[in-house]
Amino acid sequence: MNALLKSAFLIGFLCTSASLMSKDKDFSLSFKNTEAKTISFEVLNAQNISLVIYNDTYGELFSEKLEKENNVTKSYDLKDLNSGTYYLVAESDQKIEKYKINISNTNTVEIEKTPFAEIFKPEYTIAGNKAKLHLSGLKNSATISVSDFSGNVYYSATKTAADGALEMTFDLNPKTSDRYVITVEEMGNVFNKIVTLN
């Protein structure tokens, strides 16, 4: 980064060891016994949760949005599905959980009750020109970049956090651009946040 960009765009980095910012808002999902080819599960803290069942061959098969329910029990009948591997994805504003469902040739259904992927989405606090990024549940590393709508990249780095929580503060200069894009890439997932400065 050249001196002009450094003076126009200041980035501060702070890593904290104990941040439970989103834990009280997270949903939890638990499976009940499977009967025939019907799967049942309970979602606790089901606030704005999207549920999707899909297959790599057929794409999306079921989708549903849970709005403002504290606890809800859902059941899906999979009797019309062919043998193969299917996925149940539960997504909120805070995280994504992915579960694997296997339907055998004998029409038995097996569910892996522990998610094979759990991705915590980046959370932001915007105050004036400062954008604070909070990322919890970081298992490996995340690549974070800041750019504008003209394609200029002001910051790009791969970060890890020993305790799984990462916090960064970006001081965005309105004289350089009035809109920035903060991109977080983790485990093949890309999350973009557009920050518009007044």
Side-chain angles (χ1 to χ4, degrees):
M1 187 184 296
N2 64 37
L4 178 62
L5 286 180
K6 280 184 179 177
S7 65
F9 192 89
L10 173 67
I11 295 181
F13 172 67
L14 172 66
C15 195
T16 60
S17 60
S19 182
L20 303 174
M21 189 172 167
S22 65
K23 295 297 180 194
D24 58 340
K25 300 181 283 185
D26 288 347
F27 68 89
S28 65
L29 191 148
S30 59
F31 287 94
K32 299 178 177 299
N33 291 333
T34 301
E35 296 181 14
K37 287 178 75 174
T38 300
I39 62 168
S40 297
F41 54 92
E42 183 178 18
V43 184
L44 303 179
N45 197 16
Q47 306 288 323
N48 298 317
I49 310 293
S50 294
L51 298 172
V52 175
I53 293 180
Y54 76 93
N55 173 280
D56 289 335
T57 303
Y58 304 111
E60 185 178 299
L61 301 165
F62 300 101
S63 66
E64 185 174 1
K65 179 85 172 177
L66 307 177
E67 295 294 339
K68 296 180 180 177
E69 301 179 64
N70 288 329
N71 304 330
V72 62
T73 299
K74 300 303 301 178
S75 294
Y76 293 118
D77 188 349
L78 309 181
K79 68 180 181 183
D80 295 328
L81 301 182
N82 295 326
S83 61
T85 302
Y86 297 83
Y87 303 96
L88 168 66
V89 179
E91 181 174 356
S92 70
D93 292 336
Q94 288 79 39
K95 70 175 178 176
I96 303 169
E97 288 186 352
K98 298 181 180 181
Y99 298 85
K100 198 175 284 186
I101 303 168
N102 292 306
I103 301 177
S104 70
N105 290 327
T106 58
N107 284 331
T108 58
V109 176
E110 291 183 6
I111 301 166
E112 294 183 8
K113 298 184 178 180
T114 302
F116 71 89
E118 184 179 35
I119 301 109
F120 290 88
K121 294 181 177 181
E123 296 182 67
Y124 295 90
T125 305
I126 311 295
N129 297 341
K130 294 188 189 228
K132 183 176 182 181
L133 162 67
H134 172 80
L135 189 60
S136 61
L138 186 60
K139 294 177 179 64
N140 296 305
S141 62
T143 300
I144 295 129
S145 63
V146 180
S147 59
D148 61 23
F149 277 73
S150 298
N152 300 308
V153 177
Y154 300 100
Y155 178 84
S156 182
T158 299
K159 298 290 185 183
T160 59
D163 60 359
L166 181 68
E167 288 193 2
M168 300 179 73
T169 301
F170 302 97
D171 192 355
L172 308 173
N173 190 334
K175 293 180 181 177
T176 305
S177 178
D178 61 350
R179 288 192 303 168
Y180 291 90
V181 180
I182 303 173
T183 302
V184 177
E185 298 181 45
E186 182 192 0
M187 296 174 57
N189 296 284
V190 179
F191 302 99
N192 292 312
K193 172 70 175 178
I194 297 172
V195 180
T196 302
L197 304 179
N198 295 327

